[in-house]
Amino acid sequence: MKKIHVTTTINGKETEFLCELRQSLLEVLRDVLMLTGAKEGCNNGNCGACNVLLDGRLVNSCLVMGAEVQACNVQTIEGIATPQGLHPLQQAFLEGAALQCGICTPGFIVAAKALLDQNPKPTEHQVRHFLAGNLCRCTGYDKIVRAVLQAATS
Amino acid sequence: MKNFTYFRPTTPEQAVALLENRWGNTELLAGGTDLHDLQKEYVAQPARVVSLSGVNALAGIRVEEKSVRIGAGAKLADIANHAELKRLFPSLTDAADQIGGPQIRNMGTLGGNLCQRNRCWYFRDEHTNCLLKTGQRCFALDGENKYHAIFSQGHRCVIVNPSTLAPALIALGASAVVQGPNGRRTIELGRFFRAPGANNEREHVLEANDMVVEVTIPRSNLANASYEVRHKQAYDWPLVQAAVSFERGDGGVRNPRVVLGHVAPTPHVAEAAARSITGQAVSEATAGAAGRAAAQDAKPLSQNGYKVKLVEVAVKRALIIAAGQKRYWEV
């Protein structure tokens, strides 16, 4: 099948890639662009491990066609830290031991960033409501919620 | 997922011209949360996909003097968070805010919510050839039917319609503006859904080369609310939903509408509940009686008798919320 040429912006950098139409944005990120921070969990929009920001909005990259991000702005977990240091959320997750196996962590941090970008001082209920689309199979939810609240105070 | 060819029109007219007059070979892509899932399961295997991501005309929410117009491409999150919609139609915005998680609400659209396929596990299973594919029988009728219809009205397929916006919109008297190959027409949402019974039928009355472009809701001062009974507070389908609307009058409730979700192959209008509450002041007693009236004709399957009780609870609580009374179940 003929591949599609896509031009887009990923983590602030103009990026070109070729993909098949049936490839999701997640497959493009991981298999074509070697950005393996976003994880494949359920591959059907239930777990949030593949979260990215698409034009500033939190989405499941497994449910977006790679071809549909033409001229969009994609932000992945790889774009969240700066050369100067970790993002406050990453620091809070580390300090609060808000991860066990770590597979869900990139998705949680991207989702939490989307929350704090629109609501810098969320309540615990708002954090839990916003993170409802992320699953942690180690069930470390309490430390995750506390880390997000911690990051919101820093 | 099977590969496919891809079209990205920029107007509704172009999009409709790319569709076919039969289901299955060409699919419309809006948010993708349903279609891509079906494709990955090989339940949908379109050879052609028509993306609506380039049709900018579908996205707006306009609050006008006589009506509110919501584009079919409006994201669920934009509906849920719209300040004026929250004030006018909390039944709609509350229902939108409870769909999936923020990711799904950022992707899913109004049109997709109305036209999505059902979530019956037999239908969604690649290896089960049920009535809605090319099979001869509904496996839920005498199989695993915990989440299926309790008002199946003699239908051969006992799915529940998955849309939670539809009951709210029907109770508010909303209509869909539909673009077809010969122009636009308006369909009341109360007449938009049907119970499918074969692979050439969908959960709605649209033709394969139609698409929803807009939903219009008459502006009013209707009291309205939607209540969902759920296992989990988030990221779950409701077990039963009740959406209600009514006019407040000196003589009590006037012109009520009670519409149930997740109990029938279509959104289910509970006329007996509406009759029961008409002319009454809303109280726990009158709302409870309306709930019992809503449930009275239910014919549950082998595993979903529990839903009958949930209908009573959902209708009662939706009426209490719409009337602005204390939510007695919250401690």
Side-chain angles (χ1 to χ4, degrees), chain A residues 20-21 43 45 58 62 68, chain B residues 3-4 6 40 51 102 106 235:
Chain A
E20 287 188 53
L21 282 162
N43 206 25
L58 183 69
C62 73
E68 289 253 292
Chain B
N3 241 324
F4 49 85
Y6 171 73
K40 289 177 186 190
S51 168
N106 278 338
Y235 222 92

Side-chain angles (χ1 to χ4, degrees), chain B residues 53-93:
Chain B
S53 58
V55 186
N56 297 327
L58 295 174
I61 300 175
R62 287 183 288 277
V63 179
E64 299 177 348
E65 194 183 342
K66 294 246 170 77
S67 66
V68 172
R69 299 164 58 195
I70 308 177
K75 300 291 187 188
L76 301 173
D78 293 337
I79 294 171
N81 298 324
H82 194 282
E84 191 70 358
L85 285 183
K86 279 193 200 180
R87 190 180 67 78
L88 291 168
F89 308 128
S91 60
L92 176 65
T93 55

Side-chain angles (χ1 to χ4, degrees), chain B residues 12-279:
Chain B
E13 291 77 8
Q14 288 171 2
V16 164
L18 287 162
L19 298 177
E20 298 176 72
N21 60 5
R22 55 173 175 150
W23 291 111
N25 196 56
T26 301
E27 294 284 359
L28 276 176
L29 168 66
T33 57
D34 187 21
L35 177 62
H36 290 329
D37 188 32
L38 289 166
Q39 287 178 288
K40 289 177 186 190
E41 298 294 333
Y42 293 91
V43 174
Q45 300 186 24
R48 304 164 76 246
V49 168
V50 178
S51 168
L52 297 174
S53 58
V55 186
N56 297 327
L58 295 174
I61 300 175
R62 287 183 288 277
V63 179
E64 299 177 348
E65 194 183 342
K66 294 246 170 77
S67 66
V68 172
R69 299 164 58 195
I70 308 177
K75 300 291 187 188
L76 301 173
D78 293 337
I79 294 171
N81 298 324
H82 194 282
E84 191 70 358
L85 285 183
K86 279 193 200 180
R87 190 180 67 78
L88 291 168
F89 308 128
S91 60
L92 176 65
T93 55
D94 283 353
D97 197 42
Q98 292 188 75
I99 296 168
Q103 301 92 325
I104 299 295
R105 295 192 292 274
N106 278 338
M107 304 165 80
T109 63
L110 171 60
N113 182 272
L114 297 176
C115 296
Q116 64 184 309
R117 301 309 310 267
N118 71 83
R119 259 65 182 179
C120 173
W121 38 41
Y122 294 106
F123 173 71
R124 293 254 162 185
D125 176 20
E126 176 192 353
H127 303 290
T128 304
N129 193 20
C130 79
L131 203 57
L132 296 191
K133 298 172 189 170
T134 56
Q136 296 302 307
R137 58 182 290 242
C138 170
F139 294 94
L141 264 177
D142 54 2
E144 299 292 335
N145 52 35
K146 182 176 176 185
Y147 300 117
H148 289 74
I150 56 171
F151 297 95
S152 51
Q153 304 150 324
H155 294 300
R156 300 197 302 152
C157 158
V158 291
I159 59 162
V160 293
N161 187 286
S163 174
T164 52
L165 301 187
L169 288 166
I170 292 169
L172 292 167
S175 299
V177 180
V178 173
Q179 174 82 47
N182 302 316
R184 294 191 176 187
R185 64 192 192 277
T186 299
I187 304 175
E188 282 176 46
L189 280 179
R191 300 170 184 274
F192 184 85
F193 297 96
R194 70 158 170 194
N199 71 336
N200 60 356
E201 295 174 354
R202 293 278 165 110
E203 288 80 351
H204 47 71
V205 299
L206 299 189
E207 301 293 335
N209 51 9
D210 283 334
M211 68 179 253
V212 180
V213 291
E214 187 175 85
V215 168
T216 59
I217 314 171
R219 273 194 76 164
S220 64
N221 293 316
L222 291 176
N224 62 91
S226 167
Y227 185 87
E228 297 177 16
V229 184
R230 304 161 147 263
H231 274 309
K232 295 189 289 179
Q233 288 180 37
Y235 222 92
D236 201 3
W237 295 95
L239 300 167
V240 166
Q241 174 197 14
V244 302
S245 74
F246 55 84
E247 296 166 23
R248 303 176 188 86
D250 293 337
V253 165
R254 286 199 309 228
N255 296 321
R257 291 194 181 110
V258 178
V259 187
L260 306 176
H262 286 256
V263 298
T266 62
H268 182 76
V269 178
E271 286 169 6
R275 280 195 300 276
S276 170
I277 198 72
T278 298

